[in-house]
Amino acid sequence: MKKYLEKQIENFIRKYESKSQTKWGKPLVGFADADLTSLKSVISPAHATGQDVIERPTVILAYFVPFLKDMAQTNIEAGTASPQWALGYEETNAMFGELNQHIINLLKGEGYRAAVSPEAGAFDRELLISNWSQRHIAYAAGLGTFGLNNMLITKRGCCGRISTVVTDLPVTPDSPMKEELCIYKRSGKCGLCADRCPSGALTRNGYDREKCFQVCRENAAIYNSFGNSYASEPGQPAEDTGSEVCGKCVAGMPCAFL
Ligand code: SF4
Ligand code: SF4
């Protein structure tokens, strides 16, 4: 089933590339248990679960879509995020809207329920959290492990984006990956992501989301013409904020592409 879905997602992406400037690598698919109750203590008591999205869900289909190396290359230099990076972020999120609908139609065509969580389109710009953590769901789906940079490092790296669809497909949920993919967490070496962070938000000892978001806001003030990805409330249109991106702890890292 995973191979079938990976093929369907890849076919969709290849067609979509005819109307986007961004291009993408080969996707990875995993299944997380639909019961995300544990994330209420990890992220926020308001974090949604699969049961909030459809009746009697079994799993959450999580997928990772890598960017390409030449696009990442544009964002290695210190300073402002590259325009290609900001555009890639917005174009990927825009593609996910259509791709998720395609996946939902496929699953419904086979007689299953499927839907996207309304929380997935929202980001609380005061608490700086989402009540639908794509990364934590992808972790539960066995797609990768968390790097020091807070990104999910998959077997294709961490330079890409994640999306999810809740369904009642009769498959067994995956388990988190056992192999540690962050070099620093594995051996205490590396830490390049912290060294490259322009604001001191990311250090070997932790992460300051306020400092990180300040950098993203500075980039958003520059990149205000590529579209907008996140509402502040579920079900609302995306806020006209500009592209809240940075990615200096991802592009050029040894874990970016594996
Ligand atoms: S750059 Fe190094 S320390 Fe940072 S997440 Fe990647 S592997 Fe881990
Ligand atoms: S996204 Fe930018 S500011 Fe935020 S932790 Fe990474 S490098 Fe630092």
Side-chain angles (χ1 to χ4, degrees), residues 193 196-199 201-202 207 211-212 215-216 246-249:
C193 50
R196 291 265 182 90
C197 176
S199 63
L202 183 67
Y207 170 69
K211 283 185 183 170
C212 177
V215 174
C216 295
C246 169
K248 300 295 177 184
C249 53

Side-chain angles (χ1 to χ4, degrees), residues 56-71:
R56 296 186 297 284
T58 51
V59 292
I60 303 170
L61 186 171
Y63 62 97
F64 172 78
V65 179
F67 292 137
L68 295 187
K69 286 183 183 172
D70 58 352
M71 193 279 255

Side-chain angles (χ1 to χ4, degrees), residues 67 71-72 74-87 89-90 149 151 159 161 193 196-202 207 209 211-223 242-253:
F67 292 137
M71 193 279 255
T74 66
N75 198 39
I76 290 177
E77 204 174 300
T80 307
S82 72
Q84 293 92 332
W85 188 268
L87 179 68
Y89 176 88
E90 301 296 354
N149 61 0
M151 300 298 288
C159 192
R161 295 196 57 73
C193 50
R196 291 265 182 90
C197 176
S199 63
L202 183 67
Y207 170 69
R209 61 182 71 240
K211 283 185 183 170
C212 177
F213 195 59
Q214 180 55 35
V215 174
C216 295
R217 291 295 307 130
E218 286 163 18
N219 284 315
I222 298 166
Y223 299 120
S243 302
E244 293 156 331
V245 297
C246 169
K248 300 295 177 184
C249 53
V250 175
M253 297 300 124

